[in-house]
Amino acid sequence: MHDALRLLSSLTDGDAAWIFDVASERPVSAGSVVVAEGANPHALWLVLSGQVAVTVGAAPERTIARLGPGELIGEMALLEGTAASATVTAVEDTRLLELAHSALLQHSALDPGFAARLYRALALVLSQRLRRTTRLEAATTTDDLGAGADAWRALETQLTAFKTLMVNADKLASKHGDVVPDDVQAQITDGMATFATLLAEHIGDRSSLDPHTRAVLGQRVQRELLPFLLLSEVADRMYRKPRGYAGDFMTIEIMYRNQPGGTGRLGPALDRAFRTRPANRAVMNRRGLLAEEIANAMTERQGERTHVTSLASGPAAELFDVFGTLQDPTTLKATCVDIDLQALAFVGERVEQRGLRRQFDLHNENLVYLAMGRRKLDLQPQDLIYSIGLIDYFADKFVVMLLDWIHDRLRPGGRVILGNFHPDNVDKALMDHVFEWQLIHRSEADMNALMRASKFGRDCTSIRFEDERVNLFAGCVKG
């Protein structure tokens, strides 16, 4: 998802319009090869939906990467003019946006400004990929920490203590039916909390260290800590990103189920500890907060049918929670929009199980397309349009475009609610450096500025926090 947003954010509206006018959508069935290693790719592709796997001939059984919606394919061949260095295969039915290299090169020759913006954007994408793929290697070869030496000593001391605790916990579990005793579970939870706080202090956004030193320390921490955290079910999925990003619908659903799991004796214990982290609890809390907001919207309608749309809906648990309280389900009409077909299939199955087919409309749409006016979605004037965890991935430019799109689809007096991680998130350093889950965190002032820049044209009419105060929810009423 980040690749597309970095690319489009670096281009002008005219550049983006040209790309969407020239490009064509290409459906690819599961198992089909998009580009073969050694072949000369003729296009740059953007994954619109589905997922592809990247493999190389030297180890065809090993997947190097999985790319989901918003990821780019073929950018290296475009920049270098060389054959593909890997094979890209669709692992499920996938839809690509295909932009021919010839068209890009011709337009770049005619418009040097476009060329400069395009190549700078591609350089940023490749730079971020390089950082991700070389994290562990850099961590093992960087010896001179300079100003970060004291910070590393503090982190290393706590890491050693935590790893010792893990070894002892595993030994005790082997003597207690493969279950970690309650008192040791409490120590693991406390140890994880202590380390997360220390991590935020030394390499978080408010650290006095420069970004490079913080990144190097983060790489070292990841190398030491990740093998343990990946025993946790939730942590493992967040790091692997099997749907292309950490907060996919099934990750959220697993968190909602709140049934600790993992690998071996330590996995469930680490999973329990990880689920107590404020960022994880915030995800749990926002379900109830949005259910409350949906109920409030229904109260305001005073018995008239309420129309609600969830953008990037995921498992849509909050909607099912509200329907579970209604004596007459026809008083609520829900629309779910998601780029992930599997997410919509998951919701659709629950809709059928609960006999709510007439109360739900499900739409597989790319929200960037919708916001840019490249696709149309006919909606009856809505009372509430919300998104729980979407705009953390979007640059300001696209949030404003999305707000404009939302504004046009609300009835007068209707509301928008957008959730976003807040800069005070104490787990941000853990998310950034260990799980490589970099989100855009925004303050109350940031959300007010976005609302003012959009068609809403004023500050938020409400800003709420869930109980952990990690996620804020900015609302605005359409005048």
Side-chain angles (χ1 to χ4, degrees):
M1 186 177 294
H2 286 296
D3 283 359
L5 295 177
R6 288 192 188 96
L7 178 67
L8 294 174
S9 294
S10 299
L11 302 177
T12 66
D13 291 345
D15 294 338
W18 178 86
I19 286 175
F20 287 115
D21 285 340
V22 172
S24 58
E25 291 194 15
R26 173 186 168 187
V28 183
S29 58
S32 298
V33 174
V34 177
V35 60
E37 183 177 352
N40 291 311
H42 68 281
L44 178 71
W45 295 280
L46 171 65
V47 182
L48 296 176
S49 63
Q51 196 173 59
V52 300
V54 182
T55 58
V56 294
E61 73 288 345
R62 176 172 174 259
T63 297
I64 295 175
R66 286 179 179 265
L67 305 179
E71 302 288 350
L72 291 174
I73 305 167
E75 71 285 350
M76 288 289 290
L78 172 65
L79 291 171
E80 297 180 337
T82 58
S85 58
T87 295
V88 179
T89 306
V91 295
E92 59 187 65
D93 289 346
T94 298
R95 184 167 291 276
L96 304 175
L97 184 71
E98 182 174 282
L99 185 58
H101 284 178
S102 58
L104 277 170
L105 294 173
Q106 183 179 18
H107 191 62
S108 295
L110 295 172
D111 186 348
F114 168 79
R117 292 185 292 272
L118 174 66
Y119 288 117
R120 180 181 182 278
L122 291 175
L124 289 173
V125 169
L126 291 173
S127 174
Q128 290 298 318
R129 285 193 179 175
L130 182 62
R131 289 179 186 274
R132 292 198 298 267
T133 57
T134 60
R135 287 176 67 87
L136 295 183
E137 289 81 356
T140 61
T141 59
T142 304
D143 297 319
D144 184 11
L145 293 173
D150 288 342
W152 174 245
R153 280 191 285 270
L155 291 168
E156 187 177 35
T157 298
Q158 190 61 36
L159 279 168
T160 300
F162 188 75
K163 289 189 289 184
T164 300
L165 175 60
M166 292 297 97
V167 172
N168 292 335
D170 188 60
K171 290 178 180 177
L172 285 171
S174 68
K175 300 175 182 178
H176 291 81
D178 289 344
V179 177
V180 173
D182 290 345
D183 59 332
V184 180
Q185 175 69 64
Q187 293 176 40
I188 293 172
T189 301
D190 290 344
M192 190 176 293
T194 299
F195 185 76
T197 300
L198 195 66
L199 199 66
E201 175 187 343
H202 288 295
I203 62 174
D205 290 348
R206 295 172 184 172
S207 167
S208 60
L209 296 175
D210 65 88
H212 173 73
T213 302
R214 294 189 344 240
V216 170
L217 292 174
Q219 291 163 2
R220 289 193 168 196
V221 168
Q222 185 191 54
R223 180 185 62 188
E224 299 293 331
L225 193 59
L226 200 57
F228 290 96
L229 290 187
L230 293 189
L231 298 175
S232 155
E233 180 182 24
V234 172
D236 175 64
R237 189 174 178 93
M238 287 173 58
Y239 176 73
R240 287 190 298 110
K241 305 173 183 60
R243 303 294 306 156
Y245 57 102
D248 68 76
F249 80 97
M250 186 51 67
T251 301
I252 302 303
E253 175 63 18
I254 290 170
M255 294 170 77
Y256 284 165
R257 290 173 186 168
N258 201 22
Q259 298 172 352
T263 304
R265 290 184 289 265
L266 289 178
L270 284 161
D271 204 50
R272 287 188 186 91
F274 191 68
R275 287 170 184 268
T276 67
R277 297 304 309 143
N280 284 261
R281 294 180 68 86
V283 171
M284 299 280 288
N285 293 342
R286 61 195 193 184
R287 172 182 178 176
L289 185 149
L290 261 300
E292 182 181 321
E293 291 289 354
I294 295 167
N296 290 341
M298 297 186 71
T299 299
E300 291 170 7
R301 295 298 285 162
Q302 299 180 341
E304 294 185 34
R305 196 180 201 195
T306 305
H307 295 265
V308 174
T309 293
S310 173
L311 303 179
S313 60
E318 67 284 348
L319 283 166
F320 291 108
D321 290 344
V322 174
F323 274 109
T325 69
L326 301 180
Q327 290 185 342
D328 180 6
T330 65
T331 56
L332 177 61
K333 178 68 173 183
T335 299
C336 293
V337 183
D338 205 295
I339 197 171
D340 190 340
L341 274 170
Q342 288 194 16
L344 292 175
F346 181 87
V347 173
E349 185 176 347
R350 285 195 170 178
V351 168
E352 294 294 333
Q353 290 172 349
R354 303 191 184 192
L356 295 171
R357 182 185 299 179
R358 294 184 178 180
Q359 311 316 128
F360 273 83
D361 288 332
L362 308 180
H363 296 277
N364 178 222
E365 292 288 352
N366 185 319
L367 287 167
V368 173
Y369 266 28
L370 291 176
M372 295 182 68
R374 310 306 300 187
R375 290 288 294 267
K376 302 296 182 183
L377 179 62
D378 292 328
L379 290 176
Q380 189 166 339
Q382 298 291 294
D383 299 293
L384 173 64
I385 300 178
Y386 71 90
S387 179
I388 295 180
L390 170 67
I391 67 167
D392 320 76
Y393 294 94
F394 278 23
D396 288 357
K397 171 182 176 180
F398 288 101
V399 177
V400 172
M401 293 172 67
L402 184 65
L403 282 168
D404 289 345
W405 183 88
I406 291 170
H407 184 274
D408 290 345
R409 282 148 189 84
L410 288 172
R411 67 167 179 82
R415 285 188 301 149
V416 60
I417 298 176
L418 296 181
N420 209 110
F421 273 86
H422 191 272
D424 288 342
N425 173 17
V426 298
D427 287 327
K428 186 175 185 299
L430 189 68
M431 293 165 62
D432 286 348
H433 295 285
V434 177
F435 296 106
E436 300 172 20
W437 188 13
Q438 291 92 12
L439 297 175
I440 298 172
H441 287 55
R442 291 186 172 96
S443 67
E444 298 93 321
D446 294 329
M447 300 306 295
N448 281 327
L450 291 171
M451 289 293 180
R452 289 196 303 270
S454 74
K455 289 184 178 181
F456 287 90
R458 56 173 167 168
D459 286 349
C460 302
T461 54
S462 65
I463 293 181
R464 293 187 62 184
F465 284 83
E466 45 71 41
D467 289 345
E468 294 290 336
R469 297 191 65 81
V470 169
N471 279 169
L472 64 72
F473 294 85
C476 201
V477 175
K478 178 177 178 177

